[in-house]
Amino acid sequence: MSKHRTRTRGTVTVIGAGMAGLVAAYELERLGHRVEILEGSRRLGGRIRTHRFGAHEGAPFVELGAMRVPTHHHRTMHYVEHLGLLDQVRPFTTLLSEENALLATSTGHVRLRDAPRRLIADVRASLHRDAYREETVVFGAWLAAVVDAVAPPALRTGLRADLARNLLDLVEQVDLTPHLLGDGKDRIDVHGLFAAHPGIRAGCGTRLNSFLDDILTETSPGLIRLACGMDQLVQRLAGRVRGPIWLGQEVTGLDVAPDEVRLRVGRGPLAALRGADVVLCTVPFSLLRRMSLGGFDEDKLTVVREVDYCPATKVAVHVREPFWEREGIRGGASFSGGLIRQTYYPAPAEDAPSGAEGRGAALLASYTIGEDADLLGRLPDRQRHRVVLDELGRMHPQVLRRGMVRGVASMAWGEHEWTGGGCTIRWGQDAAACEEERRRAARPQGRLFFAGEHCSSEPAWIEGAVESALEAVRAIDRRFGAGAVGAGRVARSRLEAAA
Ligand SMILES: Cc1cc2nc3c(=O)[nH]c(=O)nc-3n(C[C@H](O)[C@H](O)[C@H](O)COP(=O)(O)OP(=O)(O)OC[C@H]3O[C@@H](n4cnc5c(N)ncnc54)[C@H](O)[C@@H]3O)c2cc1C
């Protein structure tokens, strides 16, 4: 298979330079370990991917991967602060918070400020029995709006069934007055209501229930973004790793032996075999299961095969001018419906450096997950971009004006060579089953350790990548550390603080 057989003694070999790999490498070095990173692709960051329309400073950009951080994700926020990025933190205006943004309803797009009556009428029309209090229907209308905007098709249909079955009956028992919003009391603080009355979650089907925390987080007011781009998190971490970060080093085989891990790097006749003392693998299981794996126990092979992934597709458009601002849309997002589902607008120019006029603006025209993401993701790039522009044009006809579109970029993560699936999902599993899968995914095999969002209790978030990295660092250090002395001891207490 290979002509070369080398071994890196006393070094932890980290596979993957996404957030999990970089955090782990950085923290391992701070504990006194020698580290190298093997990254298969030609770029750092994995699913953190800031796309810049142009190489010049101030070029408009869009996040084609992770775009916001919930402020309660304290591990991620720790690195934002630690890496000197606090001055770049800005509120992230999410779906259903910009009054002039648009919302797909049964009668077409309406502005959020005009939406309540329409949403309430839509929910009433979908119910068999219509004897509920007005405020109970208001709840149904806004929960449906949130779920329609964020969730894939099966969960959207499931919610309609839950509302009709017993969710509204449960809500009917609750005093909703403290949670009603607006002069007409025709809106509701869905987040506050679920927090105050967790029992009503029993009315949601199992799949929706296990996705509900994510849905509520994605639409909560407690989100931030980085004005300089999320990729700065990655760049600054990589800048602090002293060991080598080798790009273009695809690991294609892992063989666990009693005293080393044998890696196959590359494909075909050029593949090289190398032994490594300790390895931390952060490759998503959607790709790990395609590798040749030796020395794994049965349970590990099973969980590597079983972890479920949800595809996500994002399509960004570079336009001549931020035409949405003329409609009063100042950031936030529209629930566009149709094939494109969600459209995110950049914050107004407060962040743009002087001279940014003329560089245009970047819009995240479409963000889809699940089957919606597959539909767009499986199209060839040109066709995908055409479909998205046509649909966007129905909501914002300005985009169809000659010369308005300067460029389009997209990422179909479900199809992506270095992700192969999107993000881990544990929908339909209860808390105990989720924890069991996390534990099995993270469990080492001899000297081979695992991290990545799929090994965490916060899958599909940066927080999960960081959590799993810190867990793996602690486990590696416990087994192979040089002892808690000197700089190592200081770093160990910092590591506890980060965790
Ligand atoms: C569309 C989308 C939107 C998201 N939005 C958010 C958000 O708003 N907020 C948030 O917190 N999180 C979000 N996430 C989730 C977040 O991006 C991920 O959870 C996190 O970045 C995963 O980090 P990781 O290190 O586990 O994996 P990755 O970032 O995937 O890193 C794995 C690395 O391994 C490399 N690799 C793969 N195979 C090999 C191989 N064979 N050999 C060597 N290297 C290999 C890959 O190239 C990659 O660099 C989003 C994800 C997606 C896809």
Side-chain angles (χ1 to χ4, degrees):
M1 175 202 301
S2 154
K3 302 161 210 94
H4 313 285
R5 183 82 164 77
T6 56
R7 174 155 180 184
T8 331
R9 285 200 179 277
T11 297
V12 181
T13 302
V14 176
I15 310 175
M19 201 58 189
L22 289 168
V23 165
Y26 174 60
E27 294 297 348
L28 282 164
E29 280 186 345
R30 296 211 308 164
L31 293 173
H33 296 263
R34 224 161 358 137
V35 167
E36 64 167 349
I37 303 183
L38 305 181
E39 165 58 45
S41 73
R42 295 271 164 200
R43 54 180 296 284
L44 303 172
R47 282 167 276 177
I48 295 183
R49 186 170 186 133
T50 308
H51 180 85
R52 293 170 199 275
F53 287 101
H56 47 281
E57 210 198 321
F61 67 82
V62 157
E63 303 295 353
L64 288 178
M67 62 180 171
R68 47 354 198 186
V69 180
T71 47
H72 69 269
H73 282 181
H74 69 268
R75 299 178 187 87
T76 313
M77 292 305 293
H78 164 83
Y79 285 98
V80 168
E81 178 176 3
H82 182 73
L83 296 168
L85 288 166
L86 270 186
D87 65 339
Q88 295 296 318
V89 167
R90 303 283 184 282
F92 179 91
T93 314
T94 190
L95 278 158
L96 306 177
S97 33
E98 162 55 61
E99 288 292 293
N100 293 313
L102 292 152
L103 218 118
T105 68
S106 60
T107 50
H109 290 111
V110 295
R111 304 260 167 222
L112 181 64
R113 59 168 188 265
D114 304 322
R117 291 292 114 202
R118 189 66 262 153
L119 294 175
I120 291 166
D122 281 356
V123 164
R124 275 206 192 283
S126 70
L127 297 173
H128 308 305
R129 127 178 141 82
D130 190 9
Y132 295 108
R133 295 172 305 179
E134 177 74 0
E135 57 262 44
T136 301
V137 182
V138 169
F139 161 81
W142 286 100
L143 183 61
V146 171
V147 172
D148 280 353
V150 179
L155 296 191
R156 305 200 288 267
T157 325
L159 174 71
R160 294 305 186 286
D162 295 343
L163 288 175
R165 199 169 37 241
N166 65 346
L167 182 53
L168 290 185
D169 292 333
L170 284 174
V171 173
E172 188 81 348
Q173 317 300 319
V174 171
D175 176 13
L176 297 180
T177 326
H179 307 288
L180 291 171
L181 304 171
D183 294 341
K185 303 285 179 220
D186 51 9
R187 296 181 183 210
I188 193 155
D189 172 12
V190 177
H191 302 78
L193 177 65
F194 275 111
H197 300 280
I200 58 179
R201 287 180 71 140
C204 301
T206 332
R207 275 173 73 80
L208 177 60
N209 217 334
S210 51
F211 188 39
L212 201 57
D213 287 331
D214 283 343
I215 293 176
L216 294 176
T217 300
E218 284 182 32
T219 50
S220 87
L223 299 168
I224 61 105
R225 65 189 166 90
L226 293 181
C228 54
M230 295 292 285
D231 60 349
Q232 293 314 298
L233 207 48
V234 168
Q235 295 303 334
R236 292 206 180 181
L237 259 178
R240 293 194 182 196
V241 172
R242 291 189 305 274
I245 304 178
W246 307 105
L247 298 180
Q249 298 295 305
E250 180 186 12
V251 175
T252 51
L254 285 168
D255 190 6
V256 179
D259 62 344
E260 66 170 359
V261 180
R262 298 178 195 131
L263 309 180
R264 190 177 64 190
V265 182
R267 290 175 185 270
L270 291 180
L273 260 197
R274 63 206 296 269
D277 269 354
V278 182
V279 173
L280 174 61
C281 176
T282 72
V283 173
F285 282 3
S286 45
L287 295 176
L288 187 65
R289 52 193 174 229
R290 299 183 200 163
M291 283 187 203
S292 114
L293 304 175
F296 282 48
D297 64 43
E298 263 318 303
D299 183 65
K300 191 75 194 187
L301 287 172
T302 306
V303 74
V304 168
R305 267 195 312 269
E306 281 178 355
V307 168
D308 207 359
Y309 281 81
C310 177
T313 300
K314 283 188 170 184
V315 182
V317 184
H318 182 204
V319 289
R320 194 178 56 209
E321 61 191 38
F323 52 79
W324 50 89
E325 289 183 8
R326 294 199 187 161
E327 299 171 28
I329 300 176
R330 302 181 61 74
S334 285
F335 163 46
S336 346
L339 287 172
I340 64 177
R341 306 307 302 169
Q342 304 174 38
T343 300
Y344 287 81
Y345 309 91
E350 155 239 344
D351 292 334
S354 59
E357 313 80 27
R359 291 175 182 161
L363 176 71
L364 178 55
S366 170
Y367 179 19
T368 49
I369 64 168
E371 298 92 319
D372 297 317
D374 271 339
L375 272 177
L376 288 177
R378 290 186 180 149
L379 295 176
D381 284 7
R382 280 174 69 95
Q383 205 179 334
R384 178 189 311 140
H385 298 173
R386 194 63 265 158
V387 167
V388 168
L389 287 175
D390 284 348
E391 278 217 9
L392 186 67
R394 266 176 240 143
M395 192 167 71
H396 290 301
Q398 303 92 318
V399 82
L400 302 175
R401 280 191 208 141
R402 182 182 277 275
M404 180 58 85
V405 174
R406 292 182 173 177
V408 187
S410 66
M411 279 298 297
W413 292 98
E415 313 293 309
H416 185 52
E417 163 177 31
W418 300 108
T419 303
C423 287
T424 305
I425 46 168
R426 301 203 176 107
W427 299 343
Q429 299 187 36
D430 64 19
C434 288
E435 170 52 19
E436 180 58 9
E437 184 178 284
R438 184 207 66 76
R439 192 193 60 73
R440 291 167 68 218
R443 195 168 58 85
Q445 299 287 283
R447 291 165 166 256
L448 173 60
F449 292 76
F450 297 88
E453 54 95 23
H454 51 287
C455 299
S456 78
S457 63
E458 296 279 4
W461 292 98
I462 296 171
E463 183 76 352
V466 177
E467 176 202 291
S468 65
L470 297 178
E471 277 295 322
V473 167
R474 273 195 297 269
I476 292 170
D477 190 55
R478 267 197 303 272
R479 266 177 66 191
F480 303 103
V485 288
R489 182 163 43 209
V490 176
R492 265 171 206 97
S493 55
R494 284 209 206 103
L495 180 64
E496 296 308 324

